Amino acid sequence: MQIAKRNDWKTEPMPSTSTNITLEKVYSQEEFDQIAAGVIPEQMEDKWFIFYDTPWLYLHRSWTGFCIFKVRFEVVAESVKIAEVQVNRDPEQYSNTYDDRDASMLGILLDSRSKRNVRSQMLGWIKGQSSNLENP
């Protein structure tokens, strides 16, 4: 498995216009290792460049390099949990302003990377029911 590193792609820093949102997720060490391996885009349809630089996971839009999410993780017993999430709120870089929608999208991205089944979450996202994705 190739591990993504910051220099593998064009990136921009998280702008000062950002906010913190809440996303409560806990992963096994194996799941976290899948997330931390990141993503290096291979084709135009790959929308994300993701890399881990302890203790932050960075999620950048692949076309622009804009940092959309920063996620800080903490080890708790045998698990790894989300401790903090920052979201880009610069309107020239990212147009969404809904915290619940960002939390839902980020949850899908992380769960997908950890090899969890995200089908029901995706259906909820498509239907616009992003605030109730944990209990489909």
Side-chain angles (χ1 to χ4, degrees):
M1 171 188 335
Q2 184 176 3
I3 307 295
K5 303 283 187 233
R6 180 184 305 270
N7 293 334
D8 289 336
W9 205 258
K10 171 189 147 193
T11 61
E12 298 290 332
M14 176 67 77
S16 59
T17 308
S18 63
T19 191
N20 283 31
I21 63 170
T22 301
L23 179 61
E24 295 184 15
K25 292 274 186 185
V26 177
Y27 296 97
S28 70
Q29 185 63 54
E30 183 178 326
E31 289 174 323
F32 176 72
D33 290 345
Q34 291 290 326
I35 293 168
V39 174
I40 300 171
E42 295 180 7
Q43 54 195 2
M44 291 299 281
E45 292 78 23
D46 295 337
K47 298 184 185 304
W48 296 98
F49 169 57
I50 303 171
F51 69 93
Y52 183 65
D53 189 4
T54 307
W56 291 94
L57 182 77
Y58 295 83
L59 295 92
H60 293 260
R61 295 303 288 186
S62 63
W63 287 15
T64 62
F66 294 149
C67 184
I68 305 301
F69 299 105
K70 281 177 58 177
V71 184
R72 185 170 57 83
F73 290 91
E74 292 179 345
V75 175
V76 178
E78 300 293 315
S79 303
V80 182
K81 76 170 194 163
I82 293 176
E84 180 180 358
V85 176
Q86 294 179 11
V87 181
N88 186 327
R89 286 292 181 252
D90 182 335
E92 296 196 9
Q93 294 185 7
Y94 184 57
S95 61
N96 187 51
T97 58
Y98 297 102
D99 293 353
D100 61 338
R101 231 167 131 69
D102 281 327
S104 297
M105 179 170 52
L106 180 59
I108 290 168
L109 287 167
L110 295 176
D111 286 356
S112 165
R113 292 296 310 143
S114 71
K115 307 292 188 217
R116 291 182 180 178
N117 184 339
V118 296
R119 184 176 185 277
S120 61
Q121 292 178 32
M122 289 297 292
L123 291 173
W125 174 261
I126 292 166
K127 293 177 184 176
Q129 299 172 347
S130 60
S131 62
N132 194 26
L133 292 180
E134 290 299 311
N135 301 310

